[in-house]
Amino acid sequence: MNRVNKLFTVSQLFLFASLCSAQQPAVTNHFDGDAWWSYVKFLADDSLEGRDTGSDGLRKAQAYAVEHLQKAGLEPAGTDGFYQPVHLIQFQLDEAKSSLALVGDGQSKALSFADDAFISSRSTRDSTSLTAPLVFVGYGLKIPENNLDELAGLDLKGKIVVYLAGSPSNIPTALSSHYQSAAERWRSLRAAGAVGIITIPNPASMDIPWPRISLNRNHPSMDLDGPEFNETPGLQLGVVFNPASAEKLFVGSGHTFTEIADLGKDRKPLPRFPLAVSLKADAVILTTKVESANIVAKLPGSDPALKNEYVVLSAHIDHLGIGAPINGDSNYNGAMDNGSGSALVLDVAASFKAYPEKLGRSVLFLLVTGEEKGLLGSRYFAAHPTVSAKSIVADINVDMFLPIVPMKILKILGLDESDLGTRAAAIAQSMRIKPIADPQPLRNAFIRSDQYSFIRKGVPAVKIDIGFELGTPEEIIFKDWLTNRYHAPSDDINQPVELQAAALYEEFTRRLLIDTANAPAPHWKPESFFRRYAAD
Ligand SMILES: [Zn+2]
């Protein structure tokens, strides 16, 4: 562990602050990093077994969180005290009874689940036996706002489409992320008649190397229980194909995967064409019901007119649970993902008790379940909020903010979409921290955490992470972290963490909350694509 000592104690900070002029807000910090770290240590302890959705470990973490939210003086704001029950269905592939093969020239060649391609239970919800021709559809996107229609002119009826994850470079980041969500991509593919999808991860933007993806391929997936929540109706089969094996798909098509990957790395437009092989799939899917819950706590505002409006501070408290062992360790502790954000929620709540601040609006402290299964807890909360839907003015989501380097830069996802992004940038600057937009749009981060559930309901939202500039040594530290620790058992409490960066990030979050609770409600920018969701 490489924990950096905190620079000041809180009392030293106040002394220092009082010696400085009032115009130096960057000096005051209500956090020391140590309290945050003690929450992380509990949440990421081996005994919580990686906080899998529906597990005893997650229930323990939630009981701990409720105890601390209560201690901070917050009011219960769920439907059952602090809890909001969430009903889920679990899907698991019975791999021994399932198979994949490529069929061409009258021959059937079996694919290896471990090395070539696997059936994703996230997009295969029912057992199926299916043989269908394949069509390569580029990135598989239809984006009317940019006059992009990669499906035009192709016969996709009854076909399985093959696409490379990503988007052309002329598509703005937020728009590109939105249309690459499972629901949006499938909407246009389904309309064109497709019955299945094969995703080839883009080698230029894979966070996790194939062997690690493949290792946990049979970890169960989940969805919210109820037809209103099925985002991919009509999708019979979803397969993920190893880019290193993808040439097998292109044999006899007149194209190679090397050519496709070369274009995809620079986000260039891709050709689209029928493939010479078909896919034969047999999938056996086992389903079970699972119960979990969100946690909702309220810090009431004091303004008679505004206190019935809410600013949400959200973080997911679930993680991946117990999985395939890596270096002998099968406990996916999730210290940074997202013990870090859950700890921040508890610590910021405690800070408002220790150092009260005038808040016009009320603040909801929301710890959601099922994020790792596809933003399920937040999707449920956004669809069935425990306060009036119209009263939610903003969501500030915290997920894996990664205090692994000193905090000099904040990466604001949603920076250019709403006033909330603009204000977050201004607060960062007031703390002498440089705000930047997402420098790696290919990673699709804007739709990959719980803020997206709020965005789709019209609520301005941001997710903010400690950042770096491309081409600096920090970029390598982040890249190494994603390759080695992200969604791996080594995301545990024995990793180097910058406590001072965590404390500063918490202070930033506290200021953004206070500002949002008191300033005029944030709005989407007139030119933002996401503004459409706020229309009704
Ligand atoms: Zn995660």
Side-chain angles (χ1 to χ4, degrees):
M1 195 160 32
N2 174 26
R3 291 165 50 187
V4 172
N5 286 330
K6 62 192 171 186
L7 276 187
F8 309 104
T9 65
V10 171
S11 57
Q12 282 171 323
L13 272 172
F14 281 121
L15 178 63
F16 188 30
S18 64
L19 294 173
C20 296
S21 78
Q23 286 84 34
Q24 288 183 304
V27 175
T28 327
N29 193 334
H30 297 87
F31 302 91
D32 61 11
D34 289 336
W36 169 80
W37 185 244
S38 72
Y39 293 121
V40 175
K41 279 204 287 202
F42 181 92
L43 294 167
D45 190 82
D46 276 352
S47 66
L48 269 63
E49 302 189 315
R51 308 185 306 279
D52 200 2
T53 299
S55 71
D56 285 340
L58 179 58
R59 276 187 281 275
K60 254 192 229 175
Q62 290 175 320
Y64 172 84
V66 166
E67 181 193 319
H68 284 275
L69 293 169
Q70 244 164 345
K71 219 185 265 177
L74 301 200
E75 297 176 6
T79 52
D80 177 11
F82 285 91
Y83 291 90
Q84 177 188 40
V86 178
H87 312 293
L88 304 153
I89 309 188
Q90 174 176 296
F91 305 88
Q92 187 160 28
L93 181 79
D94 185 344
E95 203 173 86
K97 293 181 183 157
S98 305
S99 63
L100 285 176
L102 290 177
V103 183
D105 272 344
Q107 286 184 31
S108 173
K109 287 187 186 144
L111 294 170
S112 148
F113 285 131
D115 301 327
D116 295 327
F118 62 86
I119 296 168
S120 159
S121 63
R122 202 170 244 200
S123 38
T124 312
R125 281 352 183 19
D126 293 301
S127 297
T128 185
S129 279
L130 181 69
T131 302
L134 304 180
V135 180
F136 184 70
V137 293
Y139 303 103
L141 295 173
K142 183 172 175 178
I143 305 182
E145 289 80 357
N146 282 74
N147 294 318
L148 176 71
D149 185 356
E150 295 188 280
L151 315 184
L154 295 171
D155 174 14
L156 300 182
K157 199 148 178 44
K159 308 281 168 64
I160 294 172
V161 301
V162 179
Y163 66 85
L164 181 72
S167 66
S169 58
N170 65 328
I171 311 291
T173 304
L175 203 58
S176 147
S177 297
H178 172 75
Y179 276 104
Q180 286 184 76
S181 66
E184 291 302 323
R185 202 196 296 262
W186 179 245
R187 199 190 306 280
S188 29
L189 290 172
R190 184 193 191 201
V195 295
I197 53 175
I198 296 179
T199 307
I200 310 175
N202 194 323
S205 63
M206 282 170 79
D207 283 344
I208 299 179
W210 178 265
R212 281 221 286 118
I213 297 178
S214 169
L215 199 58
N216 281 300
R217 64 186 180 274
N218 291 323
H219 204 76
S221 64
M222 290 185 192
D223 205 349
L224 293 167
D225 195 2
E228 67 169 300
F229 296 112
N230 184 0
E231 296 203 308
T232 53
L235 177 56
Q236 294 176 43
L237 178 76
V239 168
V240 182
F241 219 99
N242 182 359
S245 293
E247 291 297 358
K248 295 183 183 188
L249 291 167
F250 291 85
V251 170
S253 71
H255 295 268
T256 62
F257 181 66
T258 308
E259 163 204 339
I260 302 296
D262 257 6
L263 294 167
K265 138 170 98 46
D266 300 322
R267 304 182 68 198
K268 289 187 177 147
L270 297 179
R272 301 169 321 263
F273 47 88
L275 296 171
V277 288
S278 294
L279 182 75
K280 181 176 184 315
D282 283 291
V284 173
I285 303 286
L286 311 169
T287 60
T288 2
K289 300 225 175 198
V290 172
E291 296 299 323
S292 193
N294 294 324
I295 290 170
V296 201
K298 173 165 110 171
L299 179 60
S302 58
D303 184 294
L306 294 179
K307 69 178 183 191
N308 294 320
E309 293 184 358
Y310 296 88
V311 179
V312 176
L313 175 64
S314 58
H316 75 87
I317 188 167
D318 67 294
H319 190 56
L320 299 168
I322 302 293
I326 296 178
N327 299 326
D329 187 359
S330 60
N331 199 320
Y332 287 62
N333 304 78
M336 293 301 111
D337 185 10
N338 184 29
S340 66
S342 305
L344 172 140
V345 167
L346 304 182
D347 205 21
V348 168
S351 85
F352 281 112
K353 181 166 189 197
Y355 311 104
E357 186 81 30
K358 188 186 156 294
L359 298 169
R361 294 189 180 82
S362 300
V363 177
L364 280 189
F365 292 75
L366 175 65
L367 290 168
V368 295
T369 186
E371 190 273 349
E372 301 288 8
K373 309 286 182 186
L375 319 184
L376 301 181
S378 60
R379 194 139 64 84
Y380 187 79
F381 181 86
H384 299 281
T386 57
V387 297
S388 139
K390 284 194 170 23
S391 68
I392 300 175
V393 303
D395 172 51
I396 297 161
N397 186 45
V398 180
D399 183 4
M400 219 174 86
F401 62 92
L402 287 185
I404 56 174
V405 301
M407 180 164 126
K408 294 177 189 150
I409 293 175
L410 279 177
K411 176 179 76 181
I412 303 176
L413 304 180
L415 173 64
D416 299 322
E417 305 300 329
S418 75
D419 303 335
L420 189 60
T422 313
R423 289 204 209 127
I427 290 169
Q429 272 161 340
S430 78
M431 295 172 71
R432 296 178 209 127
I433 294 155
K434 183 178 175 187
I436 59 167
D438 189 354
Q440 297 171 300
L442 269 178
R443 289 189 60 239
N444 249 345
F446 195 53
I447 66 160
R448 279 173 58 176
S449 184
D450 296 301
Q451 72 279 356
Y452 192 57
S453 297
F454 289 90
I455 291 167
R456 289 172 73 196
K457 294 291 179 187
V459 178
V462 286
K463 173 181 182 294
I464 299 166
D465 305 319
I466 292 176
F468 57 88
E469 277 177 298
L470 296 177
T472 60
E474 284 78 15
E475 180 182 8
I476 296 162
I477 294 175
F478 279 90
K479 172 84 187 138
D480 284 350
W481 193 91
L482 288 174
T483 305
N484 299 312
R485 294 192 194 270
Y486 176 54
H487 283 196
S490 55
D491 177 14
D492 62 14
I493 56 169
N494 301 311
Q495 66 183 302
V497 171
E498 299 269 352
L499 291 188
Q500 196 201 333
L504 201 54
Y505 180 91
E506 288 188 290
E507 177 63 22
F508 164 81
T509 305
R510 183 181 147 108
R511 289 181 191 197
L512 180 58
L513 268 179
I514 295 168
D515 180 83
T516 314
N518 294 318
H523 289 286
W524 294 97
K525 299 263 170 79
E527 64 278 13
S528 171
F529 165 80
F530 299 102
R531 192 182 173 209
R532 68 186 58 194
Y533 293 115
D536 43 8

